[in-house]
């Protein structure tokens, strides 16, 4: 099975690193890499995406509406951020959605992605 993935981050180096990590894994297809969550919203609504790697702080602003979006989406999210888990507030992590602290190593990335997709 091929898993369709998106990266939402405003740091080009982070996008490059995560893209490289996805390429190193079997059955992973990068559909879009963007700095706007709105760019993947239609993919979420139409169920054309399986996993979103998401930075919650884009251009110095906390991404808004994540709680509701993550609760209603059929896809999995992995929040990839430099912020500690405790500072993410009401973002529904654990269970359906994962967390990776930056900087991300490939072993931790692979472990988290594998875990999230096994739950799908």
């Amino acid at each position: 099975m091929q898993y369709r993935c998106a990266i939402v981050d405003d740091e080009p180096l982070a996008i490059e690193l995560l893209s490289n990590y996805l390429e190193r894994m079997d059955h992973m297809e990068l559909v879009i890499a963007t700095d706007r969550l709105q760019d993947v919203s239609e993919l979420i609504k139409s169920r054309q995406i399986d996993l979103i790697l998401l930075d919650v702080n884009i251009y110095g602003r906390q991404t808004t509406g994540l709680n509701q979006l993550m609760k209603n989406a059929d896809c999995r999210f992995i929040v990839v951020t430099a912020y500690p888990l405790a500072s993410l507030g009401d973002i529904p992590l654990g269970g359906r959605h994962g967390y990776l602290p930056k900087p991300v190593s490939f072993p931790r990335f692979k472990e988290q992605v594998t875990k999230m997709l096994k739950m799908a």
Side-chain angles (χ1 to χ4, degrees), residues 14-76:
I15 289 174
E16 183 179 339
L17 178 72
L18 297 173
S19 297
N20 180 288
Y21 286 175
L22 286 172
E23 287 177 10
R24 292 171 61 184
M25 295 182 66
D26 292 334
H27 311 294
M28 306 302 286
E29 175 190 357
L30 178 59
V31 175
I32 186 173
T34 180
D35 62 355
R36 295 173 18 104
L37 187 57
Q38 298 86 347
D39 292 344
V40 298
S41 63
E42 190 56 41
L43 294 171
I44 294 169
K45 289 176 189 172
S46 63
R47 298 180 176 160
Q48 294 181 14
I49 202 82
D50 301 300
L51 177 68
I52 298 174
L53 304 167
L54 173 69
D55 184 6
V56 295
N57 189 4
I58 297 179
Y59 298 117
R61 294 186 312 271
Q62 185 89 16
T63 305
T64 57
L66 278 183
N67 189 359
Q68 194 64 29
L69 178 65
M70 290 172 80
K71 282 183 179 179
N72 294 329
D74 284 336
C75 64
R76 303 286 185 208

Side-chain angles (χ1 to χ4, degrees), residues 1 4 10 15 19 21 31 35 38 40 77 82 96 100 109-110:
M1 176 177 183
R4 296 170 50 88
D10 62 334
I15 289 174
S19 297
Y21 286 175
V31 175
D35 62 355
Q38 298 86 347
V40 298
F77 285 80
R96 288 182 37 109
L100 280 170
F109 175 85
K110 184 176 180 179

